[in-house]
Amino acid sequence: MIDLESICRQTKKIAIEVGAFIKEQQDKINASVIENKGTHDFVTFVDKTSEAKIIEALKPLIPKAGFIAEEGTETTTGEKYNWIIDPLDGTTNYIHGFSPFAVSIALKGDDKIVLGVVYEISLNECFYSWDGAPAYLNNKVISVSKANTLETSLVGTGFPYHNFEQLDNYLELLKYLCINSQGVRRPGSAATDLAYVACGRFDAFYEYGLQSWDVAAGAFLVQQAGGKVCDFLGEDNYIFGKEIIASNSLNFSEIKSCIQKFMLK
C-alpha cells in the first residue's frame, strides 16, 4: 500500500515548483521557440523541460510507476500505477500571454484515478485530492455548485482546434446553450475548466477532441468534489475516449441529455 495523502502533497509541491519555472520562462517565448505538432497544436521548450522536471521529481515517489505524458519524454508503463501528465495545459494561451494555463498531474492505479493535482499558474491556485479525501483548493475544501437546471448554469467548453468533424453539431449546441443557460465560457485549458467545475465556478463543462492528460486530474477533482463525469454516450470512457461531460450532480441529467441531443446525431 502507498500513502496517497503524502504522495499527493508531494505532487502538489512539484506542480507548484514547476509552475514557477513556467511563469519565469514566459517572457522568453517567441516564434523561434514554438513548434507546431499539428493543426493549431503548439509546443515550446517550456512544455518539454517542464515535463522532464515533473517526471524526474515523481519517479522517487512510486519507483515502479509508469508515465503517460503529453510530450513523450518518458514512455515506461507501470504494472499497477501510471502517472498521467500535462506539463502545460493551455500552451496556446501561454504563448499569447493569456490565462489560464496549468500543470495537470494524475495518478492512475489499476483501472481508476486515485490522485489528481491541477495547478493554475496565473492565479497561484492549486486544486488537489486523493482517493478517499475531499477536493481542495489551496488547503480549503471545495465542492461543486448547487445549480439544478441548465437555465441556472454557467457552462464551460473548449472550441475544436484540430478535429472539425463535429463542428456543425458543436456550433448548434453552442447556440442552444447561449440561449438556454446563464452563459458559455471558453478559457482554453480543459484541466482548469474541470477544476472550476470542482470548485463551483462552472456548473458544467463539455468538450471533445481531448487527450487523457487534459482531463485525468480535473475529472477526478470533479468527482471528489461531489460532481459527475461521463463521455458523450453517458459511459465511463472519458479519460481515453477523447470526449467529456462534467457537472454537479443536480443538473447532470439535463446537461448530459442536452449535449447528447446535438453531439450524437
Side-chain angles (χ1 to χ4, degrees):
M1 294 292 292
I2 61 173
D3 185 345
L4 283 173
E5 178 177 357
S6 175
I7 291 172
C8 185
R9 296 192 182 281
Q10 293 176 78
T11 304
K12 172 189 168 187
K13 182 179 178 182
I14 292 166
I16 292 172
E17 289 175 350
V18 172
F21 165 78
I22 291 170
K23 187 65 176 176
E24 289 168 2
Q25 298 298 311
Q26 193 168 21
D27 289 342
K28 299 177 183 178
I29 298 299
N30 55 58
S32 67
V33 299
I34 299 171
E35 299 176 34
N36 195 329
K37 296 191 292 183
T39 304
H40 306 150
D41 191 6
F42 305 106
V43 64
T44 71
F45 73 92
V46 178
D47 299 71
K48 294 178 179 180
T49 304
S50 297
E51 184 172 288
K53 286 177 176 289
I54 292 168
I55 288 170
E56 287 308 305
L58 289 175
K59 280 182 176 180
L61 302 187
I62 309 175
K64 294 184 179 181
F67 295 89
I68 302 169
E70 180 174 14
E71 307 309 332
T73 57
E74 179 70 52
T75 57
T76 57
T77 301
E79 183 177 341
K80 181 177 179 63
Y81 292 105
N82 287 278
W83 295 99
I84 305 177
I85 301 166
D86 192 336
L88 179 49
D89 186 60
T91 298
T92 301
N93 283 359
Y94 178 71
I95 64 180
H96 286 275
F98 186 79
S99 298
F101 44 88
V103 176
S104 177
I105 305 172
L107 178 64
K108 183 173 177 285
D110 292 325
D111 60 350
K112 70 172 188 175
I113 304 299
V114 296
L115 178 160
V117 175
V118 173
Y119 178 54
E120 201 291 294
I121 298 166
S122 299
L123 294 179
N124 190 30
E125 291 188 330
C126 193
F127 304 81
Y128 59 97
S129 186
W130 61 93
D131 194 28
Y136 295 89
L137 164 55
N138 291 351
N139 302 318
K140 181 180 179 180
V141 174
I142 56 175
S143 65
V144 294
S145 75
K146 302 299 183 183
N148 59 7
T149 63
L150 173 61
E151 185 180 9
T152 59
S153 295
L154 181 65
V155 181
T157 189
F159 298 155
Y161 64 93
H162 68 279
N163 178 0
F164 301 112
E165 293 178 1
Q166 292 180 281
L167 183 58
D168 289 342
N169 293 343
Y170 176 89
L171 292 175
E172 287 184 31
L173 171 59
L174 184 61
K175 178 181 178 180
Y176 182 87
L177 291 173
C178 287
I179 295 170
N180 292 283
S181 73
Q182 288 197 347
V184 182
R185 301 289 183 268
R186 196 274 190 182
S189 164
T192 303
D193 295 337
L194 287 162
Y196 284 1
V197 175
C199 72
R201 293 175 188 169
F202 281 155
D203 304 297
F205 170 77
Y206 71 97
E207 189 172 350
Y208 77 89
L210 295 170
Q211 301 293 336
S212 59
W213 44 77
D214 298 314
V215 302
F220 178 73
L221 290 168
V222 171
Q223 293 169 319
Q224 297 299 99
K228 293 185 177 182
V229 185
C230 68
D231 58 27
F232 286 0
L233 292 174
E235 299 175 352
D236 293 333
N237 189 27
Y238 52 85
I239 294 179
F240 297 101
K242 299 187 177 182
E243 57 190 39
I244 191 168
I245 301 169
S247 74
N248 67 45
S249 298
L250 300 175
N251 65 5
F252 182 72
S253 293
E254 184 180 6
I255 296 289
K256 180 179 67 173
S257 296
C258 175
I259 292 168
Q260 289 176 332
K261 177 182 177 181
F262 291 92
M263 299 305 295
L264 297 183
K265 288 183 178 181

